[in-house]
Amino acid sequence: MTVLAWLALATAAPPTQAIVIATARGETSVPVTTERGSAAVAAPLLVRPLGLTLALDGSRVTIGLAGGVFVFELGAPFVRASGVVYSLVAEPYLARDTVFIPVTWLADCVPRALGARYRWDAAALRLAEVPVAGAVAAAPPAGSPPAAVASPPPSHPPNPTTGLRLRHTIVIDPGHGGVDPGNPGRYFPDGLVEKDITLAVGRLLRAELMRRGIGAALTRSTDTLIDLADRGALCKAACDLFVSIHVNAMPEGRRADRASGVETYFLSDAKTEDQERVAKTENDAIRFEASGPAPATGPLGFILRDLQVNEYLRESAQLAELVQDSVAHVHPGGDHGVQQAGFMVLTSARRPAILVETGFATNRTDGAFLASSLGQHKIASAIASGIVAYLLEFERKLAIAAPAGGR
C-alpha cells in the first residue's frame, strides 16, 4: 500500500473501520480507532490473534512477534526491529491504560520486517500469516538506496513548483524534547525554551516541503524525548536527507548577548573552540536518555569507528552550504557560515545530514525572531529552499551520470 493511501486511511478512516487478522488460529476482526486523528488499534486486541507478547516499561513498548522484536516509544513516530528503524504515519500512545499502535505498523512494518511470514492486503484491510517454512526474511539493508533514486522513472514530469523529477523524502529532527528542554532561551517570551522553537520550526518545515511536493517525516511531532542515535537512524533506506533543527546559545558572560545569526553544521572533526562548544552542548542531551552509549574515546572516537558516515561527507557539506546561504538571507542576526563538528545525532544517518543552529537564544534580536510566527515561517521556508536547491543539483548529477541507453 502506498504512503499516500495510508495517509488517507490514517486521517479519514471512520471509527467503525476494522482490520482482519488471519492466521492458523482463524480470522479475527479488530476494530480501528481514530480518536487521536490517525488509524490505530488497541495492542491487547492483537495478542490473541497474532500470538504476540506485549510489554510496557515507562514510555517504551516492546512487542514480540514471530521471533522478531519491535520496540516503540510512546509519542514517537517510529519503531525499531532487528537494528532497522521504520517510520510510522502516527505515534503510538497510551489511553485508558491501553497501548494503541498505529495501523501502519501492521500494514507496512510487519510485512517488511517479517516478509516471509505476513502479507498485507490493502483492499481487504487484512493481515494474513503465510505458511512458509524457513527463517524470517531479513529486513532491507540499512544502507540500501531508496527505490525511487536507484531506478528513477525516465519520463517523470518535473514538479511545477520545484522542477524536481524524482520522489524525495526528508527526515526532519526537531532537537531536544520531553525532559530535555535544550537551552533555556534567555530572550524567549512566555517561558519558551529551545525544544519548543525546534518543534515549531520542524513542523513548519515539514508542511513547507510537502507543499512543494517533497515527502517529509518528523523524528518527533510532540513534546517527547527521542534518543540521539534513534533520530539519525530514521534516515536510512527510505530517506534522502536528514536535517536536525536546533537553537544556539552563548555561555554566561559580558559578551554573551552579542553573538547572533545562523550557522549550519555537517559531521566532521571540530576545527575551532566554538565548534567544539556547540557540539558538546548538543551532545550533552544524552544525559537525559535512560541508557546512553559509552563515552567516545578521542574527539571523534564514536564517529571514526563507523566509516560509513564519511560516505556522504562531501554531499553533507554541499547541503549545509546551500541551506546556510538560503537561511542567512532571511535571518536578522547575520551569517555565521558553514561549520563542522562531531554531533552524535548525525552519526547514525545514512544519507547526507546537517544540523541547523537557527539563531542564538542569548541574543535579544535572534530570540524575538525565533519566537515569532513570522520568523519561524521564514526559517522553515528558507531551509526548504536550500533543500530544493541541493536536490536539483543531485538530480542533475544523476542525469549526467546515467548511461545514454538508460534514457
Side-chain angles (χ1 to χ4, degrees):
M1 192 173 193
T2 67
V3 173
L4 287 178
W6 261 113
L7 281 171
L9 173 62
T11 57
T16 56
Q17 183 74 66
I19 60 174
V20 175
I21 306 294
T23 69
R25 301 172 181 83
E27 290 198 0
T28 304
S29 180
V30 179
V32 172
T33 178
T34 57
E35 63 178 341
R36 296 286 181 92
S38 59
V41 294
L45 297 181
L46 301 173
V47 171
R48 184 172 180 181
L50 284 174
L52 58 77
T53 61
L54 174 66
L56 174 63
D57 181 12
S59 64
R60 181 158 296 186
V61 180
T62 303
I63 290 180
L65 174 62
V69 177
F70 297 84
V71 180
F72 303 81
E73 290 285 342
L74 296 177
F78 67 86
V79 58
R80 287 179 292 172
S82 302
V84 178
V85 180
Y86 299 94
S87 296
L88 300 170
V89 168
E91 304 89 2
Y93 61 90
L94 189 67
R96 302 175 296 280
D97 296 324
T98 300
V99 174
F100 287 82
I101 301 295
V103 175
T104 45
W105 174 64
L106 294 169
D108 181 49
C109 301
V110 168
R112 287 169 63 192
L114 307 173
R117 290 293 303 273
Y118 295 94
R119 291 291 182 269
W120 174 257
D121 184 338
L125 298 181
R126 184 174 186 267
L127 182 70
E129 184 179 31
V130 180
V132 177
V136 173
S144 299
V149 174
S151 182
S155 59
H156 198 281
N159 181 298
T161 302
T162 62
L164 294 169
R165 291 179 176 271
L166 304 180
R167 295 182 179 87
H168 299 282
T169 299
I170 315 301
V171 170
I172 304 161
D173 172 46
H176 307 280
V179 295
D180 174 15
N183 78 67
R186 180 191 301 172
Y187 290 110
F188 290 155
D190 305 323
L192 293 175
V193 292
E194 181 180 3
K195 67 175 182 178
D196 304 314
I197 305 299
T198 62
L199 182 56
V201 172
R203 286 171 170 169
L204 290 170
L205 176 56
R206 179 178 182 271
E208 182 62 25
L209 288 171
M210 294 184 72
R211 185 186 70 80
R212 302 185 192 201
I214 300 171
L218 294 168
T219 59
R220 68 178 183 97
S221 58
T222 58
D223 183 18
T224 188
L225 179 66
I226 310 296
D227 287 358
L228 289 175
D230 288 338
R231 293 171 183 258
L234 280 168
C235 188
K236 288 187 177 179
C239 169
D240 293 284
L241 305 173
F242 179 81
V243 180
S244 191
I245 309 295
H246 289 262
V247 177
N248 219 330
M250 289 296 290
E252 291 292 337
R254 289 188 307 164
R255 302 168 62 89
D257 61 350
R258 296 192 182 183
S260 65
V262 59
E263 53 191 29
T264 305
Y265 284 80
F266 64 94
L267 182 63
S268 192
D269 199 354
K271 301 296 185 184
T272 68
E273 289 185 6
D274 266 348
Q275 292 173 352
E276 289 181 357
R277 172 188 59 78
V278 175
K280 183 180 183 301
T281 299
E282 303 298 1
N283 291 342
D284 193 45
I286 199 170
R287 75 184 191 275
F288 294 100
E289 299 175 11
S291 57
T297 56
L300 278 183
F302 60 88
I303 298 172
L304 298 181
R305 285 196 294 269
D306 188 353
L307 296 180
Q308 292 185 67
V309 171
N310 294 319
E311 180 181 356
Y312 296 104
L313 181 62
R314 181 177 300 176
E315 289 83 358
S316 296
Q318 182 185 12
L319 173 63
E321 195 77 49
L322 291 168
V323 168
Q324 174 67 22
D325 182 66
S326 181
V327 179
H329 276 87
V330 303
H331 203 291
D335 183 356
H336 268 225
V338 171
Q339 311 287 340
Q340 60 188 68
F343 291 96
M344 293 182 66
V345 71
L346 301 182
T347 61
S348 53
R350 290 298 179 263
R351 292 293 182 268
I354 61 173
L355 185 146
V356 184
E357 293 284 0
T358 55
F360 285 79
T362 46
N363 178 271
R364 189 181 302 275
T365 301
D366 278 16
F369 180 70
L370 292 173
S372 70
S373 175
L374 178 61
Q376 292 167 6
H377 275 87
K378 283 186 173 183
I379 290 172
S381 181
I383 294 175
S385 294
I387 289 171
V388 169
Y390 171 86
L391 292 175
L392 284 169
E393 179 63 14
F394 171 72
E395 289 191 3
R396 187 188 67 82
K397 291 177 182 177
L398 278 185
I400 293 174
R407 296 180 181 176

